[in-house]
Amino acid sequence: MRDYIEISPTPINEDCVQIGASNYSRKATKEAAIFIDQLRRQFGPEPIGTRLAIKWFSHDFGSYATVICYYDQDSEESVDFAFSCESLAWENWDEQSRLELVNQ
């Protein structure tokens, strides 16, 4: 059975683009994609039955993007990967992510 866990739009000690900002959708999608790449550098590729993705949620001020991890509840490896991404992700951008953010 597949479920998902919300991770964050960016590492927890980093600012993210705010709803209502100019080109919010494009910028938020780019930040989240860079964060997914960083999570893959930290934890490796997703195991079978697991997928990092960008999901949009409704908010009082509009929709916002965040990184989520779909996982297979019946797979210990999948569950461990998802919850590691949620609780053990680096708190700041790594060097490669910082370079990608500058060039966005």
Side-chain angles (χ1 to χ4, degrees):
M1 177 181 216
R2 283 185 55 139
D3 200 356
Y4 71 86
I5 186 169
E6 290 181 49
I7 299 172
S8 178
T10 60
I12 61 170
N13 285 341
E14 300 288 354
D15 291 331
C16 60
V17 64
Q18 298 298 303
I19 295 173
S22 175
N23 295 311
Y24 171 76
S25 179
R26 182 186 62 78
K27 291 175 182 177
T29 300
K30 181 68 172 175
E31 282 182 346
I34 291 170
F35 187 34
I36 287 172
D37 289 342
Q38 179 170 305
L39 289 168
R40 289 177 177 143
R41 282 192 298 279
Q42 181 180 359
F43 296 106
E46 297 96 320
I48 293 172
T50 312
R51 183 171 61 92
L52 291 166
I54 300 168
K55 186 169 176 65
W56 289 84
F57 292 93
S58 295
H59 184 276
D60 292 343
F61 301 108
S63 294
Y64 69 95
T66 196
V67 174
I68 65 165
C69 187
Y70 290 102
Y71 64 94
D72 180 351
Q73 295 177 353
D74 297 325
S75 166
E76 184 176 342
E77 183 181 22
S78 183
V79 171
D80 288 349
F81 182 92
F83 283 85
S84 291
C85 287
E86 190 266 341
S87 62
L88 300 174
W90 295 325
E91 296 177 354
N92 295 95
W93 293 117
D94 67 7
E95 189 63 32
Q96 185 170 338
S97 294
R98 289 184 192 284
L99 290 172
E100 292 175 28
L101 288 162
V102 169
N103 295 320
Q104 71 170 334

